[in-house]
Amino acid sequence: MIHVGSDGVFTMKDILLKNSLLLLSRFLQKHYGQKTILLIDEYDVPLDYAYRSGYYDDMVGLIRTLFGAAFKTKNSLEFAVLTGCLRISKESIFTGLNNFKVYTVKDVRYKEYFGFTDVEVRQMLEYYGFSDQYDVVKEWYDGYLFGSLGIYCPWDVINYCGDLRDGSVTEPQNYWVNTSSNIIIRKFLSRAKTADRNDIEQLGIVQK
């Protein structure tokens, strides 16, 4: 089913690849005797990479088939959770799937699960003995608003605490800045109308 070449590269037939999540769910359900829960983080990252590398249509086809096969099964799947920056749309790669709910940064439900809350950050800093760094952490990393709740970027907070423990830095860093590409956004802005660009630019303006 899966072939490993002399160069260490894994290859498999397309039919196996496209049904891999479905098969995994079935195997886990059979082994443990209960339905599985699929957690897929940053589902749109492969789409972004494919867009930058020139095989976007092929990746869309793969993900549409991969997710479609896995999410439509009722015997082995309890539910699935996907996270990503691109909004899930019934008209895109999720054609044929209509039993899902989208939660965005504007929604109140689950707002505390999109990052670290202020209480959690205070607890973390106290645990590691960095309570005196609270004001710095809040100024640098308390940058999200989900529903009506201010949320800290987990990646930044964790890395800053780690560097403080190691003694490798004394000043906060932009840890998140190099974790993703903005090429799709830049191309969108280059083609957008002036009114659209102005609306997007307003998102980056802090209201006093």
Side-chain angles (χ1 to χ4, degrees):
M1 298 177 70
I2 300 177
H3 175 72
V4 183
S6 58
D7 55 358
V9 176
F10 288 79
T11 59
M12 66 176 69
K13 294 182 178 180
D14 287 348
I15 187 64
L16 177 60
L17 177 61
K18 293 177 179 179
N19 287 283
S20 56
L21 280 180
L22 173 61
L23 292 173
L24 178 61
S25 295
R26 288 177 175 175
F27 293 156
L28 290 173
Q29 190 274 333
K30 185 174 182 179
H31 180 78
Y32 290 102
Q34 55 186 353
K35 292 185 177 181
T36 58
I37 297 174
L38 287 178
L39 305 177
I40 301 176
D41 187 28
E42 296 187 339
Y43 82 92
D44 49 351
V45 169
L47 292 172
D48 177 47
Y49 187 85
Y51 182 84
R52 290 185 281 124
S53 302
Y55 57 92
Y56 179 79
D57 290 340
D58 292 335
M59 181 58 70
V60 168
L62 171 61
I63 292 182
R64 179 184 292 122
T65 304
L66 183 70
F67 288 174
F71 296 163
K72 286 182 179 180
T73 178
K74 296 181 179 179
N75 296 327
S76 58
L77 181 66
E78 183 70 24
F79 65 85
V81 176
L82 287 82
T83 68
C85 295
L86 298 179
R87 180 184 175 91
I88 295 175
S89 172
K90 297 178 184 178
E91 292 75 28
S92 60
I93 63 174
F94 297 95
T95 301
L97 296 177
N98 53 21
N99 189 24
F100 60 82
K101 177 68 176 177
V102 177
Y103 295 97
T104 71
V105 296
K106 298 185 296 182
D107 294 303
V108 175
R109 192 175 185 183
Y110 304 122
K111 59 186 179 182
E112 68 271 26
Y113 301 117
F114 285 92
F116 289 158
T117 64
D118 190 76
V119 172
E120 290 169 335
V121 169
R122 287 180 181 273
Q123 291 174 341
M124 179 183 295
L125 294 175
E126 181 180 358
Y127 178 83
Y128 288 113
F130 300 133
S131 295
D132 60 325
Q133 296 293 316
Y134 170 76
D135 290 338
V136 174
V137 172
K138 183 173 181 61
E139 179 181 357
W140 275 74
Y141 307 131
D142 181 18
Y144 298 142
L145 185 65
F146 289 91
S148 58
L149 182 65
I151 291 292
Y152 292 74
C153 176
W155 182 254
D156 284 325
V157 175
I158 290 173
N159 277 276
Y160 184 50
C161 286
D163 285 346
L164 287 175
R165 292 188 67 195
D166 297 337
S168 57
V169 300
T170 56
E171 298 294 331
Q173 308 292 320
N174 290 319
Y175 300 98
W176 187 253
V177 69
N178 293 320
T179 61
S180 62
S181 168
N182 296 318
I183 188 170
I184 291 182
I185 296 177
R186 290 198 298 269
K187 286 197 173 185
F188 171 77
L189 289 175
S190 68
R191 300 175 183 177
K193 297 178 181 178
T194 301
D196 294 329
R197 288 199 299 269
N198 291 339
D199 288 341
I200 293 174
E201 289 173 358
Q202 288 298 316
L203 295 175
I205 299 177
V206 178
Q207 300 295 330
K208 300 294 185 180

